[in-house]
Amino acid sequence: MTQSFKGPTPSRRQFLSGAAAAGAGAVAASASGAATPDPKITELQPWATGFGEGVDATPYGMPIEFEDHVIRRNVEWLTADTISSINFTPIHALDGTITPQGCAFERHHSGAIELRKEDYRLMINGLVDRPLVFSYWDLERLPREQHVYFCECAANSGMEWAGAQLNGAQFTHGMIHNMEYTGVPLRTLLQEAGLEAAGDLEDKWIYVEGHDASSNGRSIPMSKAMDDVLVAFKANGEALRKEHGYPVRLVVPGWEGNMWVKWLRRVEVTDAAVESREETSKYTDVLEDGTARKWTWEMDAKSVITSPSPQAPIQHGPGPLVITGLAWSGHGAITRVDVSKDGGKTWETARLAQPGDPKAVARFYLDTTWEGEELLLQSRAIDETGYVQPTKAQLREVRGLNSIYHNNAIQTWHVKTNGEAENVEVS
Amino acid sequence: GAGAVYGLGREALPQEIAAWDVDIMPDGSGLPEGSGSVRDGEMLFSQNCAVCHGEFAEGVGNWPPLAGGDGTLADEDPVKTIGSYWPYLSTVWDYVHRSMPYGAAQTLSDDEVYAITAYILYSNFLVESDFVLSDENFTEVEMPNADGFIVDDRPETEYVKWRTEPCMENCKDEVEITMRATILDVTPEDEAEAET
């Protein structure tokens, strides 16, 4: 990661062209009275007289072309290549809580592999009574559960530790997706293999790894494995996408995305943590004195305003304004989100679109009026444990600047009088 | 024990477990018999690794350095390498064996992995040039940052502080902007816009 990269002139142009295109129509439509009749109403439009597409045109559809900005984006300078890399969910353009799979972020360490169900095997071994091999279809014969959970990369917002760097919620907070999973509790598979051999489960671990070359091996305490970990094969109603672990991935509710092992191939019961590369060199968090935290599994309560934001400026002029965003916590359900328009001097409690679900994303709205003044927008999540999302200053006071992972600080957007928004830090 | 409620899956054979269960624990358990020297490792590293990691494991471009950075962990910009940061040698052997070289993983023999691991130790000034690493002396190697890690202490250092009713009114006297993302100017531009 470097801060010295100097890219081409970024979002300002994008903002200006976008604003110009949307501006005229939007303003005209919202005016209290029209001087001349609107030809979109008075003239016959082609779609109102001719045909649209037949039902055989698109057996599996993509979004309409006018939404072609709602896509995953890569930040080239973050990593050495695109194979062990990250891209970002366009959260600035989405609403509700479910992430469309086609634009849900990806993080691979040796690329998105293609693995047929016919070639899929899942091994359970180690301190079990009978080491087992399951086929994909064996998994479909076991009792299933369904849950909605967020998967947030441990490094989400990691580039923002030292200061405001990337200009858009997609880039600062988009290493996250939230899906409805169907799968088999890992507990069921472990019990099928038998855990008598493991003895006291209190001090036991599992080690999980993927079919891909990176393997992404991670150690998980047995208590979590027996609690809510899912071996999932469906997301948002359909099979997992290739890039999200097709045909089978691990779902580890509330815990850092790295542990959600994709293309899951093996679960080993062990009497200690393996201390693999992904839990020593990576996914350990350096503190100010040079020591590092390990096993920082939970993702703490966090939120971000997705609109207005740098990629979603206010284009409609003064008047009614919907401030909206996302909140989530690895410790349980979101119970409240507060929003500030003045950089944290005063706060008002926003409205949750639905009651928060445990370890899932919640959508919040603050319906307000904008008079065209400058805003310093912030959101602050509170979860069912009473944990209040901290400021970046609070986090830095405990951790310093080099933790890389687990940045759940309050984000500030500076909205200017023309409606343009910028990623800033405030005192 | 109980188990086998559904009778699904079939017993894994020893050869299958041996093929996939290759993880190495910090105490060295899981290591296969074998050995490799710094000298052999230097040649193997040059052939298989140096194009990305440099002849001296110092890293090329944006690719990870594997050596150097001693004593920098509390600096403004820590350099985290195998020598300066990694707690266990087992992780080096395990990760190289299963996931390197990048793009051609699992192509190194056990002895080659011992030799490359020995060379990485040498590059970090942790062994002499005549050192030979084997399954027998493996656990004698001490990594400099073995004691550098603490188990997640957020419950004590953070949660107790931040589980309190937050301020709603008059929370600060003044608010000033202290940093702006557009000054750095590193956000990717919309590609379609860039082309026009």
Side-chain angles (χ1 to χ4, degrees), chain A residues 10 192 209 268 284 300 422, chain B residues 7 23 85 98 159 182 185:
Chain A
E192 196 69 4
E209 65 180 18
E268 179 183 358
T284 51
D300 295 331
E422 185 184 359
Chain B
D23 51 76
Y85 191 61
R98 80 165 75 208
Y159 301 162
T182 51
D185 198 12

Side-chain angles (χ1 to χ4, degrees), chain B residues 37-172:
Chain B
S37 66
V38 169
R39 284 200 180 85
D40 287 347
E42 182 176 25
M43 191 184 64
L44 288 162
F45 196 89
S46 184
Q47 288 165 351
N48 296 287
C49 322
V51 63
C52 295
H53 296 293
E55 288 293 339
F56 307 100
E58 77 280 17
V60 173
N62 228 353
W63 298 102
L66 309 181
D70 307 354
T72 65
L73 296 180
D75 290 0
E76 193 177 332
D77 291 306
V79 178
K80 298 191 286 180
T81 71
I82 290 170
S84 70
Y85 191 61
W86 291 35
Y88 305 112
L89 190 62
S90 57
T91 313
V92 180
W93 203 100
D94 178 298
Y95 185 69
V96 171
H97 177 238
R98 80 165 75 208
S99 296
M100 288 286 140
Y102 189 58
Q106 303 191 74
T107 57
L108 297 169
S109 72
D110 293 346
D111 285 345
E112 287 173 332
V113 177
Y114 277 110
I116 288 169
T117 305
Y119 180 69
I120 293 171
L121 287 171
Y122 173 72
S123 300
N124 279 287
F125 306 108
L126 297 173
V127 297
E128 301 298 323
S129 61
D130 60 355
F131 179 72
V132 178
L133 181 69
S134 72
D135 56 302
E136 288 179 359
N137 66 2
F138 194 90
T139 55
E140 291 164 23
V141 180
E142 280 179 34
M143 300 300 281
N145 198 41
D147 297 326
F149 294 81
I150 57 167
V151 174
D152 185 5
D153 65 349
R154 285 176 292 174
E156 301 82 54
T157 55
E158 299 182 4
Y159 301 162
V160 289
K161 286 194 223 176
W162 300 336
R163 282 184 176 137
T164 56
E165 188 55 32
C167 175
M168 295 297 284
E169 298 278 344
N170 303 315
C171 303
K172 305 174 184 178

Side-chain angles (χ1 to χ4, degrees), chain A residues 79 83-87 105-109 153 175 243 258 262-263 283:
Chain A
T79 50
I83 305 297
S84 178
S85 194
I86 187 84
N87 64 26
F105 87 102
E106 302 167 67
R107 203 293 186 235
H108 319 301
H109 293 81
C153 179
M175 296 181 195
E243 62 271 31
N258 179 257
K262 296 185 287 190
W263 314 291
Y283 308 99

Side-chain angles (χ1 to χ4, degrees), chain A residues 173 300-305 326-328 334 336-338 347 364 378-383 386-392 394-395 407-411, chain B residues 162-164 166:
Chain A
H173 291 74
D300 295 331
K302 185 169 175 179
S303 67
V304 64
I305 291 172
L326 300 169
W328 60 94
I334 291 293
R336 178 176 131 197
V337 179
D338 298 332
W347 296 84
F364 66 87
Q378 299 183 332
S379 62
R380 181 174 70 190
I382 302 175
D383 70 23
Y387 176 97
V388 181
Q389 183 184 0
T391 63
K392 213 185 271 187
Q394 285 176 300
L395 283 175
N407 177 5
N408 67 320
I410 289 172
Q411 172 67 45
Chain B
W162 300 336
R163 282 184 176 137
T164 56

